[in-house]
Amino acid sequence: MAGLQEVYLKELSEHLNSVRLIIMGALVYIIGFSMSFMSISTIKLEFISSRGENLFLKLFTTQSGGVPSFLGFLSFFGPLISLILVFDSINGEDNQGTLGLVLSQPIHRDSLINGKFLAATTNIAIILVGVFGLIIGLGVASIGAFPSVEETMRIIIFGGICVVYLAFWTSLGLLFSIVFKREGTSALASIVSWLFLTIFIYMMGDMVQSTGLNPQGVLYLSPSYLFTQSSSIIMIPLMRVVGPVSYEQVVGMVANPLSLPQSLSVIWPHLTALTAAMMLIFVVSYVLFVRREIRST
Amino acid sequence: MNENQTLTIKTEDLTKKYGDLTAVESLNLSISKGEIFGLLGPNGSGKTTIILMLLGLTEPTSGGLNVLGFDPVKQPFEVKRMVGYLPEKVGFYETLSAEQNLRFFGRLNRIEEDIITKRIDEALTQVGLSSRKKGKVNTFSRGMKQRLGIANVLIKDPKMIILDEPTQGIDPKGIQEILDLFQSINKEKNITIMLSSHLIHHVEQICDNIGIMSDGVMRVRGSVNLNELNVDEEWLIEFSSNDITSSIFEKIENMNEVRSIEADGMLYKANCSADIRPKIVKTIIQNGGSLLTLALQERNLISIYKEYSEEK
């Protein structure tokens, strides 16, 4: 993989110095902080009824009043971070005049796209680690306890799911930057796909439901749904079933929290689907880019 | 074997088609080591496509090619390692400085860090950008980016340099400096240089050999020295007269050397296989005509180039 390391490091430092990343990062930090701050007050109210269990997980998942949980925020807003980082990564280089220059150096052509993908994913992971640390720190300061081993494990797994979910959007943004010649077009395509997969698909789900059919067939097409469902199961141990529950299923159900391996086994299909979708899109962009012909214009 | 040592580039019936469009047709080109070769032709005549194929960035539809002893289709790595390339619309990472950009490209070539550092200073001095070493590329003008592109080529310490429209966007004084730079690089290190241009007088002064492209076909190939140019022997004689009778006209038309002649009012243009100006003068005078002007149209690079670029 000649050139991968060089491209990766250059992309990483370029991102870290870019205004885009600083703005997006700052936004995530501010929102993450304020959301978990809000949820602390709600958690304190529920403290007695919840017997003080899994408080740190609740920091990520509790809605307070009209403010969504951090998990909900990430499922909706996270994709935008990925897309903004990469929507112009290939066509931008082409228009800037660096693509021809880079590809005429002795490197493997796929090093460029691999390096870009890895660098964007690393940057997103860095943002996430920071904001997770911030939220947990806030929790430690206000609750006065440390997360248990299981809570820590769950939070780490949740972080992993976040990275995979955002990597899906990164590969989608990369694909658009390869398919479309202009940055403007790929930006629009990114926004449209983002709105569709995070908002409109839920409306379609509602529509399907109103006809009496199971909306999950539609909803499973959305990575945002897969992400929300799987991370909810991981972060809310009391949640045992994914999606709408029929009456027959509820009968005899015990309202006990699931253990971590059990939670994982519930969402395993979701994780597989999410990872597969991410890889599929990346493979498509990889093939398109490697086989693409450099032409004189 | 010997051929590989003296020839830097060799193509055999190199053809590139994009669908129905033939961008390059049966190109047979050979460039010797240490030569400066100018690829001339109007925009869209296939120059860039040839360059992209030589670098292994585009695959030829048919035909063979060899660059520095390697086949760019099968061994693009070796070719790219030895060939420095300046693309037509060269650009750099805007938010990085000149030095950072050069360093990145040096690293892509797996050059050792301290050698890169040394070469960056040398190359920037050579192209006259050493004062802007730390300047971000987004503050650079078009011409400065072009110079940086040339510096970037030098960083690699290439065996051969391919420049696509290197004089574009540079002011006349800068063009002269850059052409002089190419010439000195060529002389000092015996590096083969191939450059494409649609502006003939840039190329003319530094190239040893040129090739004129139009519509994907190399029409003329040869030395810049006109006598060696591989064109049909052709003299265009132009004369004007206001009393040429049809019998005089016929006499001239029937001369062995005259291929064709056309009249445009008082102006006559004859395409001849030899310089027969005295013969024409004699014929006209002896038959009672008079002559106002007589001239041999000069056929130099510029007129040949013009013919082919106007053909469309």
Side-chain angles (χ1 to χ4, degrees):
Chain A
M1 292 303 283
L4 178 63
Q5 192 192 349
E6 289 80 7
V7 172
Y8 174 74
L9 290 176
K10 194 223 67 181
E11 286 288 321
L12 207 59
S13 76
E14 223 182 356
H15 277 317
L16 289 173
N17 288 313
S18 74
V19 183
R20 285 184 204 178
L21 190 88
I22 294 169
I23 292 177
M24 299 310 284
L27 214 57
V28 173
Y29 277 60
I30 293 168
I31 293 175
F33 181 81
S34 41
M35 279 178 172
S36 45
F37 192 77
M38 294 290 285
S39 60
I40 284 174
S41 49
T42 317
I43 292 167
K44 278 181 177 163
L45 287 177
E46 291 174 349
F47 187 78
I48 298 163
S49 67
S50 71
R51 292 170 293 169
E53 278 172 347
N54 296 322
L55 285 174
F56 282 92
L57 301 184
K58 290 201 172 88
L59 283 174
F60 290 88
T61 55
T62 307
Q63 293 169 312
S64 38
V67 183
S69 66
F70 182 67
L71 194 158
F73 162 74
L74 262 191
S75 84
F76 175 69
F77 190 75
L80 207 54
I81 308 174
S82 300
L83 291 172
I84 283 181
L85 278 186
V86 297
F87 77 91
D88 63 345
S89 45
I90 298 294
N91 52 15
E93 290 232 9
D94 202 359
N95 296 333
Q96 190 176 243
T98 43
L99 189 63
L101 208 53
V102 171
L103 294 183
S104 64
Q105 310 300 326
I107 61 165
H108 289 294
R109 192 188 272 204
D110 52 356
S111 297
L112 188 66
I113 180 168
N114 293 342
K116 278 179 181 291
F117 177 75
L118 290 177
T121 309
T122 310
N123 272 312
I124 288 165
I126 291 173
I127 295 184
L128 286 178
V129 167
V131 74
F132 276 37
L134 190 72
I135 293 174
I136 294 170
L138 192 71
V140 172
S142 54
I143 301 169
F146 288 97
S148 67
V149 175
E150 186 174 324
E151 276 177 310
T152 315
M153 294 286 286
R154 282 177 185 268
I155 289 172
I156 290 172
I157 292 172
F158 172 56
I161 300 174
C162 289
V163 170
V164 174
Y165 173 57
L166 297 186
F168 166 84
W169 291 96
T170 308
S171 53
L172 191 65
L174 260 182
L175 178 66
F176 289 142
S177 84
I178 291 167
V179 173
F180 299 109
K181 275 264 163 206
R182 290 169 190 274
E183 290 108 315
T185 322
S186 59
L188 280 177
S190 302
I191 291 177
V192 167
S193 60
W194 171 60
L195 287 177
F196 181 78
L197 291 176
T198 57
I199 297 179
F200 295 138
I201 200 145
Y202 288 102
M203 295 181 185
M204 284 170 68
D206 288 345
M207 231 168 63
V208 171
Q209 196 165 27
S210 69
T211 61
L213 297 166
N214 190 344
Q216 281 196 311
V218 175
L219 291 176
Y220 274 141
L221 292 176
S222 164
S224 136
Y225 181 75
L226 291 174
F227 168 74
T228 318
Q229 292 297 310
S230 49
S231 15
S232 299
I233 295 274
I234 282 290
M235 296 300 274
I236 309 171
L238 271 174
M239 217 172 131
R240 314 174 61 105
V241 186
V242 181
V245 187
S246 67
Y247 183 70
E248 288 81 2
Q249 283 176 296
V250 185
V251 172
M253 195 184 264
V254 188
N256 252 356
L258 289 181
S259 69
L260 182 55
Q262 283 170 326
S263 292
L264 269 179
S265 70
V266 171
I267 58 159
W268 202 249
H270 294 66
L271 294 184
T272 316
L274 197 58
T275 316
M278 181 263 283
M279 281 164 63
L280 181 72
I281 303 247
F282 184 71
V283 165
V284 171
S285 20
Y286 182 96
V287 170
L288 283 179
F289 182 67
V290 171
R291 296 184 59 181
R292 171 163 144 178
E293 192 153 36
I294 309 291
R295 282 186 73 155
S296 58
T297 40
Chain B
M1 269 295 107
N2 284 337
E3 208 173 50
N4 284 348
Q5 283 158 11
T6 51
L7 283 184
T8 305
I9 287 179
K10 185 165 176 58
T11 73
E12 273 163 12
D13 288 324
L14 189 64
T15 303
K16 177 69 194 179
K17 287 185 177 144
Y18 292 114
D20 291 338
L21 181 90
T22 307
V24 176
E25 203 177 331
S26 318
L27 178 77
N28 287 298
L29 180 68
S30 48
I31 299 179
S32 325
K33 192 172 191 311
E35 179 178 333
I36 301 186
F37 183 81
L39 197 56
L40 277 167
N43 295 323
S45 57
K47 296 178 308 243
T48 304
T49 309
I50 294 177
I51 291 176
L52 292 178
M53 283 192 284
L54 292 175
L55 285 161
L57 290 174
T58 295
E59 278 188 28
T61 312
S62 64
L65 74 169
N66 187 303
V67 177
L68 294 160
F70 294 98
D71 180 352
V73 179
K74 289 177 191 140
Q75 299 149 301
F77 250 64
E78 280 74 10
V79 173
K80 286 173 184 173
R81 194 168 289 140
M82 292 187 291
V83 178
Y85 167 54
L86 177 70
E88 186 175 359
K89 284 185 295 171
V90 69
F92 287 91
Y93 295 101
E94 301 274 325
T95 53
L96 301 181
S97 71
E99 186 193 4
Q100 285 170 321
N101 268 294
L102 294 182
R103 192 170 290 282
F104 171 61
F105 285 104
R107 283 178 183 159
L108 288 184
N109 282 286
R110 323 212 133 233
I111 303 169
E112 283 169 41
E113 287 295 313
D114 45 338
I115 298 180
I116 296 181
T117 313
K118 208 180 92 211
R119 285 194 192 156
I120 287 176
D121 287 333
E122 281 173 12
L124 286 178
T125 314
Q126 272 186 298
V127 298
L129 278 179
S130 47
S131 60
R132 301 298 295 268
K133 188 175 161 185
K134 303 275 179 200
K136 282 194 177 174
V137 173
N138 56 17
T139 63
F140 281 25
S141 68
R142 176 84 183 77
M144 286 162 80
K145 283 182 196 166
Q146 196 79 19
R147 284 157 187 268
L148 189 57
I150 295 165
N152 186 45
V153 165
L154 298 176
I155 293 281
K156 270 173 108 156
D157 192 19
K159 290 211 171 62
M160 170 172 191
I161 299 177
I162 296 182
L163 309 143
D164 200 353
E165 301 276 359
T167 53
Q168 219 168 42
I170 297 183
D171 54 273
K173 185 172 157 274
I175 288 178
Q176 198 53 52
E177 284 170 17
I178 281 180
L179 293 178
D180 290 344
L181 177 63
F182 291 155
Q183 211 156 23
S184 69
I185 294 167
N186 169 257
K187 290 234 169 67
E188 279 166 28
K189 300 184 177 170
N190 199 26
I191 294 174
T192 315
I193 297 180
M194 174 174 178
L195 57 102
S196 86
S197 181
H198 62 274
L199 298 169
I200 184 153
H201 34 275
H202 294 168
V203 173
E204 185 183 32
Q205 42 174 310
I206 66 163
C207 291
D208 303 314
N209 283 304
I210 57 150
I212 295 177
M213 296 287 299
S214 98
D215 292 328
V217 181
M218 182 160 283
R219 309 281 178 179
V220 182
R221 155 93 172 92
S223 156
V224 176
N225 188 337
L226 179 64
N227 299 330
E228 291 172 38
L229 264 178
N230 178 23
V231 258
D232 299 338
E233 298 238 317
E234 195 176 70
W235 276 264
L236 291 171
I237 297 169
E238 241 182 52
F239 58 94
S240 57
S241 166
N242 52 10
D243 53 3
I244 288 200
T245 58
S246 55
S247 74
I248 301 179
F249 188 81
E250 261 173 41
K251 275 184 179 137
I252 300 176
E253 201 177 15
N254 291 333
M255 287 176 187
N256 285 336
E257 297 89 344
V258 177
R259 290 199 186 109
S260 65
I261 177 164
E262 37 181 279
D264 179 15
M266 279 171 30
L267 192 70
Y268 299 84
K269 284 181 188 168
N271 185 338
C272 314
S273 59
D275 187 2
I276 50 162
R277 276 179 293 176
K279 212 169 161 186
I280 291 176
V281 174
K282 242 182 228 167
T283 313
I284 293 172
I285 304 296
Q286 280 171 359
N287 289 283
S290 62
L291 205 55
L292 300 175
T293 60
L294 175 73
L296 178 67
Q297 240 186 31
E298 248 186 273
R299 276 181 61 90
N300 53 15
L301 264 182
I302 294 173
S303 69
I304 294 169
Y305 178 58
K306 243 182 168 175
E307 274 168 43
Y308 286 114
S309 45
E310 278 166 2
E311 226 170 50
K312 295 189 172 181

